[in-house]
Each structure stands twice: as C-alpha cells, then as structure tokens.
Amino acid sequence: MPELPEVEITARLIGAAVAGTVVESTSAPGLNALRTFDPPIHALDGATLTGIRRRGKLFLIDASTDLTLVVHLMSAGRLQFYDKRASLKDRTSRLLLRLTDGRELRLREFGTQQRAWGKLLRRADVEGEETLAALGPEAWPDPPPVGELRAALAQSRPLYTLLRDQHVIAGIGRSWVDEILHEARISPFKRGLDLDDDETAVLRGAIIDRLSAAIDHYEQTLTLPLPDKLPLPLRVHRHNGEPCPRCATKLEAVFFEDYVMCYCPVCQTDGKVLKDRRLSRLLK
Ligand SMILES: [Zn+2]
C-alpha cells in the first residue's frame, strides 16, 4: 500500500509533468471509483491542471478552474501518468483524465476489490471534505512538536496501531511504521500513554529521518513512468528472519491475515519475542 513517501514522490513527479496540461475529457470506467455528483467529473473538461499536492496518503490534483480532484488510492490503487491513452481492455482503470497533448493521467487499481476513489470538489470545499477533515497532523516534513505529539499518542493502544491511525497522525502505514519504530528502538507493543518526553522526541526524529530518507531515495532513483510497484527501500519490514541492520539479531515478526509486522527483539523489546496469535488480534 502506498504510504506517505510513495504518495509524496508520485505527487512531485506527476505533478511537475501535468502542470500546464489541459484536460480534454474524463471518464470513470471503474464506477465505484467516482464519488462525485456536484460538480460532475466532466466539469474538469477543458481545465488546465496546475499541479498535485499531497495530504496524508491522498492526492489533491488542482485545476485552474478552482476545482480539485481528491484521490485516495486505498490499499491497491496507483496514480500513473502515461504518454498514451489506456486500452479499453485495461481492467485496472478506475479514473482517466485524457489530456489534449495525447497523454493521460490514470487512477488504476490492482486486485479484485474496488476501493480506490476520486472526488471532484470546488477548492473552497476541499478542507471540509470528510476524509481530509478527519486526518491528523502530517507525519512529514514537520510532525507535531514533542509535547503535542506525546499528547496525541497518550492512548492505551499500542504504538504500532496508533502511528498508523490516520486520525492521530497522517501518512504512516504498515511498511514505514516498522522502519520508524526500529529506528527509534521502541517496541511496537508499547502503549502510547507510556511514552515519556525523551522517547517521544526520539520517535519524532525517527519519523522525520526515515520518511525523509525514503523520499530522498525515490528522488534519486525514480522517473516517469512510475512502475506499478515502487521499490521500497525497507530495512526491517518484510525482512523477518534476516539480521537486524543495527545489531545483526534475527528480525522477528507477528503475522496477521494479510500482512506482517517486523521488529528486532534486541533493539526494541528487551529480548522478548512476541508472535502470539492472540496478540495479533489485539493489535488489529
Ligand atoms: Zn537489532
């Protein structure tokens, strides 16, 4: 699932490429993808795109006509930009913005579920859009200062869950939470309310460092067209069974139905190995 670094680099690269282009026509072959009735998606026809912003894991595609197309990839969506138009046979197409220069901005979705969506809004209504309005503060580039972050995390839920809760802090998901907690040497099972100021400061620094490093890596390695699967520069997530990049202890994992949480028992949990299935349920 694309998280903050992946959405950020996509917004930067595609945003720069589409700025100044004119929309010729729009279509939504994946009917579930479109949550727009007023203004209708065709209100974009003839508009000049001015760029793409990111909020949390969402895209805000701005047009000159005071319209913004909000796009949420959910777990399997991708925003991509092509020199050619999609074949009608491309079953991954959900939303298409055909440009007058022959290129195409395309929301695609892989897998069988149709959950990715787009919503066209008047710019003045963007902030109040329900998903955007419910987002917590941005995890990057400037997460809340230590006091505010500690207050936001002062809940009985474990950090592994809290940091992925978009209402608490926006942008982090299953991949980068493992990297951040490992960097901070904090247990994913630690309850948010048990963090002190020093730990919160370390955690805040780890959030900035890991997300910045990922975005820098993408800046140096990616160009358009973006691949369907971005090569995530992960050191801990999905590296269970491999040596910890810091202390060489074997990385452990807790297995969930369709994903895995990874951590280093020496760096993060005082040597304790926790992969009990009851715990898995607790953490969901
Ligand atoms: Zn370690």
Side-chain angles (χ1 to χ4, degrees):
M1 169 168 186
E3 300 176 25
L4 190 153
E6 293 73 45
V7 175
E8 174 71 22
I9 194 66
T10 302
R12 283 186 194 178
L13 292 177
I14 299 182
V18 298
T21 61
V22 176
V23 178
E24 182 181 286
S25 64
T26 47
S27 65
L31 204 59
N32 292 349
L34 198 59
R35 291 192 180 175
T36 296
F37 301 99
D38 178 33
I41 190 74
H42 296 297
L44 275 178
D45 297 358
T48 299
L49 299 179
T50 55
I52 304 181
R53 293 174 286 149
R54 178 193 61 77
R55 177 77 175 92
K57 302 178 195 171
L58 287 85
F59 294 102
L60 280 64
I61 302 169
D62 291 320
S64 58
T65 44
D66 261 349
L67 293 172
T68 295
L69 177 63
V70 178
V71 170
H72 198 324
L73 301 176
M74 300 302 289
S75 57
R78 298 288 182 273
L79 187 69
Q80 288 173 317
F81 189 54
Y82 295 102
D83 287 338
K84 286 189 199 150
R85 290 169 181 189
S87 155
L88 292 175
K89 290 181 193 155
D90 182 359
R91 298 171 66 98
T92 66
S93 292
R94 296 286 181 264
L95 264 179
L96 307 174
L97 267 62
R98 296 182 162 160
L99 307 175
T100 55
D101 64 9
R103 294 185 291 176
E104 185 174 83
L105 186 61
R106 201 180 305 166
L107 170 62
R108 303 171 75 206
E109 189 171 28
F110 298 87
T112 50
Q113 288 187 314
Q114 293 200 15
R115 296 174 61 216
W117 55 262
K119 195 188 270 190
L120 186 63
L121 299 168
R122 295 176 188 88
R123 193 104 71 240
D125 296 332
V126 168
E127 255 183 63
E129 193 281 328
E130 56 182 339
T131 304
L132 292 169
L135 290 177
E138 286 289 320
W140 184 94
D142 189 24
V146 170
E148 283 174 37
L149 183 60
R150 187 179 171 190
L153 295 172
Q155 302 182 31
S156 58
R157 290 184 287 163
L159 286 169
Y160 178 68
T161 308
L162 275 173
L163 291 172
R164 292 181 299 124
D165 183 339
Q166 302 304 299
H167 307 299
V168 174
I169 187 164
I172 301 168
R174 291 166 188 167
S175 298
W176 291 103
V177 72
D178 284 357
E179 303 295 315
I180 289 165
L181 288 169
H182 178 269
E183 177 76 16
R185 301 181 192 229
I186 295 175
S187 169
F189 312 104
K190 192 181 186 86
R191 296 188 306 169
L193 51 79
D194 292 334
L195 277 181
D196 63 24
D197 273 348
D198 288 346
E199 289 167 319
T200 307
V202 170
L203 176 62
R204 184 177 184 279
I207 291 171
I208 297 170
D209 287 354
R210 292 304 288 131
L211 299 181
S212 294
I215 294 164
D216 289 349
H217 171 82
Y218 292 144
E219 277 283 359
Q220 287 161 20
T221 54
L222 293 177
T223 52
L224 296 181
L226 294 173
D228 293 342
K229 275 197 172 210
L230 296 187
L232 275 62
L234 300 168
R235 305 191 293 218
V236 178
H237 184 67
R238 294 212 201 106
H239 286 270
N240 43 306
E242 298 175 23
C244 167
R246 185 189 287 127
C247 75
T249 302
K250 189 176 80 162
L251 295 171
E252 295 291 346
V254 175
F255 294 92
F256 297 85
E257 204 169 299
D258 55 355
Y259 65 100
V260 63
M261 180 194 77
C262 300
Y263 65 97
C264 172
V266 168
C267 294
Q268 293 175 260
T269 59
D270 295 326
K272 283 197 276 293
V273 174
L274 304 155
K275 47 186 170 185
D276 189 280
R277 299 191 79 196
R278 283 168 300 172
L279 185 72
S280 309
R281 279 203 295 275
L282 188 77
L283 281 173
K284 267 178 187 169

